[in-house]
Amino acid sequence: MSRNGSGTYTLPAGNPVVTGTTITSSWANTTMQNIADGLTQSVASDGQTPMSGALNMATNKITALGTPTVSTDAATKAYVDLTQTASGITGGTITGATLTNDTIDSTPIGSTTRSTVKATTLDLGLSTQSVAIGQGNASIMKNRIINGAMVISQRYGTTATANTINDYTLDRFAVYQTTTGKLITQQLSSSPPVGFTNYLGITSQSAFSIGSGDYYVISQIVEGYNAADLGWGTANAKTVTLSFWVQSSLTGTFGGCIRNNSSPYYPSYPFTYSISVANTWTQISVTIAGPTTGTWNTTNGGAFNVYFGLGVGSTLSGTAGSWQNTNLLGATGATSVVGTSGATFYITGVQLEVGSSATGFEYRQVTQELSLCQRYFYKTYNQSVVPASNSAAGGQAGALMLYIPATGNTVRNTMFFKTTMRTTPTITTYNPETGTAGYAAYEGSGASNQVALGTTYGSDNGSLVYGLSAGFTGSLYWQTTASAEL
Amino acid sequence: MINYQYIYGLDGVTVNQTVIKRLPDNAMIPVDPDNTDYQAYLAWVAQGNEPLPAEAV
């Protein structure tokens, strides 16, 4: 070979000759052939020599390049810039592991020919956020919490309520407690955090000393259908971030927990957060790596509980910051709100989303939020009327009616829910005049002013009142609630 | 104290197999394993309790 592999040409052995050397044909022919080989391997300036290997520019430029004319021509910078501008891509960048098609078509929308851009990441430079296709936060169903802004309160309205042991307060939020009378809940609207109009307020009614097995918590159970994509219990479990606004008359470390809703009710992930200034709204963000173990409901059952602790005993508390195979409701060392008489705990803006950081709260139109809530609880009452109210005006509005034309007639009334419920609901009927459960108001002859309603059958789409009391004629009217809560 | 009661079907003789009445709010609980009120009823029965017999309307 004439060159050494790095491009250096070296004359063959016997060169250079020294003075007095006899020039022979063997020396001359060998040397001249070697020089001829070297010239053959060099690039002719008129372009007649094709390259037989990759052209290594060693970071040097090719200058004075002509404008490309066929698809295999090299392109100048000016040509590439012009093509990008013609495609309408200016001021942005496109990055991607796979970007098919070597051009991006500038044909207007509506034309029959379009190019397809496929990229793992498509950054249009429109904002500081990038959209990862098929990953991260989608703009729809970002927030897995329903009624996180605390605007819907179908059961109690704005009434301060001493809840029963396992009771719902604002829609989708339950109160679980070992003893009643330790706290009251209420939908409040005075001085909410910026961006919100309502919050759930809890006020402690006594200075209660928590026992090891006691629990006082606010909880929302996320339905399996709304959590199936999280992939929890698999190697692809997604990280989520829980964020919320909170205010308390107390300061210190507070706690909560995310826990599997299916038996054996774990894994559990206790978490803590700090409220350093009393009576001041603070936004909290907790990021939780998705659990790779456990069996999590992915249909119409409960996938997991999100607990906010108001006082949880040691048996049901765990060390914050990891998934544990124990049924837990709170974090070890957390402040007990029910431990201080008159203590307050306010919360709103609750959001649970995919990803490792909290993003802006997902506001929903009120009809959309109400519809989401009605999958779990529905009432025929005005939204402003608390079920079992005995307000004649509010109680009669929207009431269901039946007219019994003759004694002994078999009567039926069908009602369709406004949204398909999670499962067949529990149905309660109320006399609109008195609020008495299980009865209808009566106008007619042959009976008192209220009569017991017969069997009520339900489905996830509606209910049927069947077989009313006989022995009278006239009109019956009543209100209904349907509960398919988790 | 939560209690429950069987109710009759339309014939007034056969106990209804699809609904249980919860006392004292007279709520009609469907025999549906996904309904949490029915789950609570089953847990109540599992503790050895028995619903009240049906009574004629």
Side-chain angles (χ1 to χ4, degrees), chain A residues 6 45 51 101 125 168 207 210 221 226 283 301 308 328 336 345 347 364 388 405 410 416 442 444 484:
Chain A
S6 298
S45 63
M51 299 299 296
N101 291 346
Y168 272 82
I210 294 290
I221 302 174
N226 297 336
Q283 189 175 25
F308 298 95
L328 302 173
S336 170
F345 180 89
I347 185 169
R364 300 180 182 124
T410 299
F416 291 100
Y442 173 78

Side-chain angles (χ1 to χ4, degrees), chain A residues 327-469:
Chain A
N327 179 358
L328 302 173
L329 307 184
T332 301
T335 299
S336 170
V337 176
V338 297
T340 301
S341 181
T344 57
F345 180 89
Y346 302 154
I347 185 169
T348 192
V350 184
Q351 178 158 284
L352 182 82
E353 61 189 300
V354 173
S356 55
S357 62
T359 63
F361 185 79
E362 181 189 11
Y363 294 99
R364 300 180 182 124
Q365 294 188 22
V366 67
T367 50
Q368 182 187 13
E369 196 78 67
L370 177 59
S371 181
L372 293 174
C373 294
Q374 286 174 330
R375 177 169 171 78
Y376 306 91
F377 183 82
Y378 174 69
K379 66 178 182 181
T380 54
Y381 288 95
N382 263 336
Q383 280 301 306
S384 60
V385 177
V386 174
S389 293
N390 58 3
S391 164
Q396 290 183 32
L400 302 170
M401 286 195 66
L402 263 180
Y403 179 70
I404 304 174
T407 300
N409 280 182
T410 299
V411 292
R412 303 173 179 85
N413 173 280
T414 300
M415 173 188 69
F416 291 100
F417 305 136
K418 289 187 175 180
T419 189
T420 301
M421 301 197 75
R422 183 187 64 82
T423 191
T424 307
T426 298
I427 295 174
T428 308
T429 56
Y430 298 92
N431 178 341
E433 303 288 354
T434 64
T436 307
Y439 285 82
Y442 173 78
E443 287 180 347
S445 61
S448 62
N449 64 350
Q450 73 174 18
V451 293
L453 280 172
T455 306
T456 303
Y457 299 91
S459 74
D460 59 7
N461 276 319
S463 69
L464 172 68
V465 172
Y466 199 108
L468 291 168
S469 299

Side-chain angles (χ1 to χ4, degrees), chain A residues 307-327:
Chain A
Y307 292 111
F308 298 95
L310 305 169
V312 180
S314 58
T315 303
L316 296 167
S317 297
T319 303
S322 65
W323 289 101
Q324 298 160 45
N325 284 339
T326 308
N327 179 358

Side-chain angles (χ1 to χ4, degrees), chain A residues 149-461:
Chain A
M150 311 294 181
V151 295
I152 309 296
S153 181
Q154 294 192 87
R155 293 174 179 81
Y156 300 111
T158 57
T159 304
T161 305
N163 301 90
T164 56
I165 288 177
N166 297 318
D167 192 16
Y168 272 82
T169 167
L170 308 192
D171 277 57
R172 301 296 298 120
F173 286 91
V175 181
Y176 300 137
Q177 49 189 343
T178 43
T179 309
T180 59
K182 306 305 179 189
L183 55 83
I184 61 171
T185 64
Q186 188 174 16
Q187 184 191 45
L188 297 172
S189 58
S190 176
S191 301
V194 174
F196 296 92
T197 56
N198 296 96
Y199 54 92
L200 170 59
I202 295 109
T203 304
S204 172
Q205 297 298 289
S206 64
F208 180 66
S209 181
I210 294 290
S212 61
D214 286 333
Y215 55 87
Y216 296 85
V217 295
I218 297 295
S219 170
Q220 180 163 141
I221 302 174
V222 176
E223 186 177 341
Y225 282 126
N226 297 336
D229 66 299
L230 300 181
W232 285 10
T234 74
N236 299 315
K238 293 180 181 177
T239 295
V240 297
T241 295
L242 175 68
S243 59
F244 51 94
W245 286 89
V246 67
Q247 179 184 137
S248 177
S249 60
L250 306 175
T251 59
T253 299
F254 291 72
C257 189
I258 291 182
R259 191 208 68 180
N260 194 334
N261 186 248
S262 299
S263 178
Y265 304 109
Y266 58 73
S268 305
Y269 188 101
F271 62 85
T272 58
Y273 57 96
S274 177
I275 298 178
S276 57
V277 182
N279 302 314
T280 301
W281 285 108
T282 303
Q283 189 175 25
I284 305 298
S285 173
V286 180
T287 296
I288 299 169
T292 56
T293 62
T295 301
W296 304 76
N297 189 289
T298 56
T299 59
N300 69 333
F304 55 86
N305 296 62
V306 179
Y307 292 111
F308 298 95
L310 305 169
V312 180
S314 58
T315 303
L316 296 167
S317 297
T319 303
S322 65
W323 289 101
Q324 298 160 45
N325 284 339
T326 308
N327 179 358
L328 302 173
L329 307 184
T332 301
T335 299
S336 170
V337 176
V338 297
T340 301
S341 181
T344 57
F345 180 89
Y346 302 154
I347 185 169
T348 192
V350 184
Q351 178 158 284
L352 182 82
E353 61 189 300
V354 173
S356 55
S357 62
T359 63
F361 185 79
E362 181 189 11
Y363 294 99
R364 300 180 182 124
Q365 294 188 22
V366 67
T367 50
Q368 182 187 13
E369 196 78 67
L370 177 59
S371 181
L372 293 174
C373 294
Q374 286 174 330
R375 177 169 171 78
Y376 306 91
F377 183 82
Y378 174 69
K379 66 178 182 181
T380 54
Y381 288 95
N382 263 336
Q383 280 301 306
S384 60
V385 177
V386 174
S389 293
N390 58 3
S391 164
Q396 290 183 32
L400 302 170
M401 286 195 66
L402 263 180
Y403 179 70
I404 304 174
T407 300
N409 280 182
T410 299
V411 292
R412 303 173 179 85
N413 173 280
T414 300
M415 173 188 69
F416 291 100
F417 305 136
K418 289 187 175 180
T419 189
T420 301
M421 301 197 75
R422 183 187 64 82
T423 191
T424 307
T426 298
I427 295 174
T428 308
T429 56
Y430 298 92
N431 178 341
E433 303 288 354
T434 64
T436 307
Y439 285 82
Y442 173 78
E443 287 180 347
S445 61
S448 62
N449 64 350
Q450 73 174 18
V451 293
L453 280 172
T455 306
T456 303
Y457 299 91
S459 74
D460 59 7
N461 276 319

Side-chain angles (χ1 to χ4, degrees), chain B residues 5-31:
Chain B
Q5 184 179 30
Y6 292 120
I7 57 176
Y8 284 126
L10 281 177
D11 60 6
V13 177
T14 309
V15 172
N16 195 305
Q17 298 296 313
T18 60
V19 176
I20 296 287
K21 181 186 280 189
R22 181 177 61 200
L23 304 173
D25 67 353
N26 295 322
M28 297 292 181
I29 298 174
V31 178

